[in-house]
Amino acid sequence: MSVEQQYIDLFSQTEAMICRHSTEVLNAPRAAAFADFERLGFPTRKEEKYKYTDISKFFEPDYGLNLNRLEIPVNPYEVFKCDVPNMSTALYFVVNDAFYGKALPKSHLPNGVIFGSLKEVAEQNPELVKKYYGKLADTTEDGVTAFNTAFAQDGVLFYVPKNVVVEKPVQLVNILRGDVNFMVNRRMLVILEEGAQARLLACDHAMDSVNFLATQVIEIFAGENAVFDFYELEETHTSTVRISNMYVKQEANSNVLLNGMTLHNGTTRNTTRVTLVGEHAELNLCGMAIADKNQHVDNHTTIDHAVPNCTSNELYKYVLDDQAVGAFAGLVLVRPDAQHTSSQQTNRNLCATRDARMYTQPQLEIYADDVKCSHGATVGQLDESALFYMQQRGIPVREARLLLMFAFVNEVIDTIRLDALKDRLHLLVEKRFRGELNKCRGCAICK
């Protein structure tokens, strides 16, 4: 039996249950998405954009799925204290793939702002969700997106109305919880209308030591003159597989910062596709990965300059130790009408051992003649002369290695536009390089 067949059979047997525990707006594209999944299947290395990560093999084991939406016996507000000091966030939780709504932050968001269960908002305001849900995440092109759309029953919606500024950063913690090997299918829908501003930090944590497989589809709509910062921080364990597809659409004069940081994981595949559809839109796309043991981190990005006078800056850095594997493939596409585009793409990678492997594939496709675009990639090892220089001045070799690696990734951390988060990341990265426990201070469930 093929890998896909077990899920085709599962969906055929449980479709009524899946729909019953979801809502009409999420159910509407479900059948078409399932048909796309039947046609596409899971990606394999035979596909160019997945050639560094064999996605299909991770779906072979037998996972539990909570399609009947049984209640998970955990109150994250009691056991999870992972608030970044001095950041004073509005803190929300997703337990597996369900928004936790039994308790909510005491702090209130501005009038008209919605942060809550995608399922519940779709029931209360179906026209809002229907207008955006599934409009960027094309199930006809990607098997994982099709699979997620067919099985997702809930998720998170973040909506900021026209000209509303959300001063307080919002923090979303995705908790993986299970007594058996478990699969979750998460959705996130972010809508910033014209002139809206907001900042969101999403953290991934695993509560139990079983094998987890998480698929995730994120859709972000940044309206005209909107400003949005989105930070993702992954701190799970080596038995976790995360496959995340993010789709972003930027209107005129919008400013979006995307920063994805993998501090501890098992296998991670992140796909990011950003389309700039309005003039003078600006994108800053950043990423950082620290991996050791047999960890695997694969980032695949596409920046589509569809109109003139837009700017994009892309920076990804990896530090790989032991037998870790990293991959980066980044495409910047400049369409024929996108004159006066300014784009810079940089990928820098550090292999701390001879057994670590890094694959990098920067790409430019330019169909306009009045542009300013550049790209570059490097893969190297620690500078032996710098290590020698530091040892000559009394710094032990282990400490010298740590300082060099920390300085290497510091450029990505400095793109963060939240001082409290930036300071916290400096500390977490230092702890990560020192091999200390990978958890935020006070994080009870990670002990």
Side-chain angles (χ1 to χ4, degrees):
M1 182 172 66
S2 69
V3 179
E4 291 81 8
Q5 191 60 49
Q6 62 177 320
Y7 296 104
I8 292 171
D9 293 343
L10 177 64
F11 185 85
S12 300
Q13 297 163 8
T14 61
E15 181 178 5
M17 179 196 298
I18 293 171
C19 293
R20 184 169 66 252
H21 291 285
S22 190
T23 188
E24 183 178 347
V25 177
L26 276 66
N27 290 337
R30 202 178 297 278
F34 177 66
D36 288 332
F37 171 69
E38 285 186 293
R39 175 177 56 84
L40 294 168
F42 293 118
T44 68
R45 289 181 182 271
K46 293 180 181 179
E47 297 183 38
E48 176 67 21
K49 66 179 182 179
Y50 282 97
K51 68 180 181 179
Y52 301 119
T53 307
D54 185 2
I55 296 297
S56 62
K57 74 176 184 180
F58 297 113
F59 289 86
E60 292 177 357
D62 185 17
Y63 295 98
L65 288 92
N66 189 12
L67 302 180
N68 206 26
R69 313 313 283 175
L70 300 178
E71 185 174 326
I72 306 297
V74 61
N75 182 349
Y77 284 95
E78 292 180 355
V79 301
F80 197 95
K81 308 298 180 185
C82 191
D83 196 6
V84 178
N86 304 318
M87 195 167 154
S88 186
T89 61
L91 183 61
Y92 298 87
F93 291 91
V94 166
V95 180
N96 290 336
D97 49 17
F99 183 81
Y100 188 84
K102 289 190 174 182
L104 293 173
K106 295 180 181 180
S107 58
H108 296 288
L109 298 174
N111 289 335
V113 175
I114 302 172
F115 195 99
S117 163
L118 180 60
K119 173 179 176 287
E120 292 182 5
V121 176
E123 291 172 346
Q124 299 163 4
N125 193 345
E127 292 304 315
L128 172 65
V129 179
K130 185 178 179 180
K131 181 179 178 182
Y132 295 99
Y133 181 76
K135 297 301 186 288
L136 296 181
D138 188 355
T139 62
T140 65
E141 294 185 353
D142 187 276
V144 173
T145 296
F147 178 87
N148 179 281
T149 304
F151 281 93
Q153 295 169 282
D154 192 12
V156 172
L157 181 139
F158 188 16
Y159 168 73
V160 186
K162 180 179 179 179
N163 294 328
V164 172
V165 177
V166 183
E167 296 287 354
K168 182 186 290 291
V170 178
Q171 184 176 7
L172 174 68
V173 178
N174 295 309
I175 297 177
L176 295 173
R177 172 77 176 90
D179 298 324
V180 298
N181 295 343
F182 206 75
M183 177 193 293
V184 302
N185 298 289
R186 299 191 295 245
R187 295 291 293 220
M188 184 184 298
L189 178 59
V190 179
I191 306 161
L192 276 76
E193 292 190 341
E194 180 182 346
Q197 297 184 30
R199 294 167 293 180
L200 173 61
L201 166 64
C203 303
D204 282 11
H205 293 273
M207 187 171 178
D208 300 292
S209 58
V210 302
N211 295 324
F212 288 107
L213 171 58
T215 76
Q216 176 174 272
V217 174
I218 303 172
E219 296 176 282
I220 298 174
F221 295 84
E224 188 173 342
N225 295 303
V227 179
F228 182 56
D229 291 7
F230 182 46
Y231 307 101
E232 284 192 285
L233 178 61
E234 183 180 8
E235 284 187 284
T236 54
H237 57 59
T238 54
S239 298
T240 300
V241 177
R242 164 189 153 117
I243 307 169
S244 178
N245 291 351
M246 178 162 57
Y247 303 85
V248 183
K249 181 180 179 182
Q250 290 188 235
E251 303 289 350
N253 298 295
S254 60
N255 186 302
V256 172
L257 168 62
L258 307 173
N259 194 324
M261 295 158 282
T262 302
L263 288 189
H264 202 273
N265 72 317
T267 297
T268 298
R269 160 65 190 222
N270 297 317
T271 302
T272 304
R273 182 178 183 89
V274 183
T275 306
L276 297 92
V277 299
E279 291 194 37
H280 303 290
E282 180 176 348
L283 167 69
N284 289 283
L285 175 58
C286 308
M288 175 183 70
I290 301 172
D292 54 18
K293 307 180 186 70
N294 292 300
Q295 295 167 340
H296 183 107
V297 183
D298 180 357
N299 283 287
H300 188 283
T301 70
T302 301
I303 302 174
D304 186 348
H305 285 263
V307 296
N309 301 306
C310 292
T311 302
S312 65
N313 296 288
E314 183 173 11
L315 174 65
Y316 274 80
K317 287 196 171 186
Y318 290 64
V319 177
L320 306 175
D321 207 344
D322 300 328
Q323 292 82 42
V325 175
F328 170 81
L331 169 64
V332 176
L333 172 62
V334 181
R335 297 189 180 272
D337 293 332
Q339 302 292 349
H340 308 295
T341 288
S342 177
S343 178
Q344 181 175 348
Q345 179 192 86
T346 305
N347 174 225
R348 299 282 184 259
N349 310 288
L350 184 62
C351 293
T353 67
R354 293 187 180 276
D355 293 327
R357 293 289 181 267
M358 182 67 203
Y359 304 93
T360 181
Q361 187 180 13
Q363 303 170 77
L364 286 177
E365 284 189 30
I366 302 174
Y367 301 100
D369 54 15
D370 188 4
V371 301
K372 184 179 180 181
C373 299
S374 65
H375 73 305
T378 60
V379 179
Q381 295 181 319
L382 288 171
D383 189 335
E384 294 295 335
S385 60
L387 280 172
F388 178 77
Y389 178 87
M390 296 170 76
Q391 291 177 78
Q392 288 293 305
R393 276 144 185 81
I395 301 175
V397 61
R398 184 176 181 274
E399 193 72 15
R401 283 169 54 88
L402 185 149
L403 291 172
L404 289 175
M405 291 189 292
F406 184 79
F408 181 77
V409 300
N410 196 50
E411 186 179 1
V412 177
I413 299 175
D414 284 344
T415 65
I416 295 173
R417 299 191 287 208
L418 280 171
D419 289 339
L421 178 59
K422 185 187 300 185
D423 293 342
R424 186 60 180 163
L425 257 296
H426 283 301
L427 177 60
L428 289 176
V429 168
E430 181 181 348
K431 290 176 66 177
R432 176 69 175 93
F433 283 137
R434 292 186 184 279
E436 298 176 7
L437 293 177
N438 301 286
K439 62 184 182 183
C440 298
R441 185 174 64 184
C443 174
I445 69 170
C446 292
K447 291 181 180 177

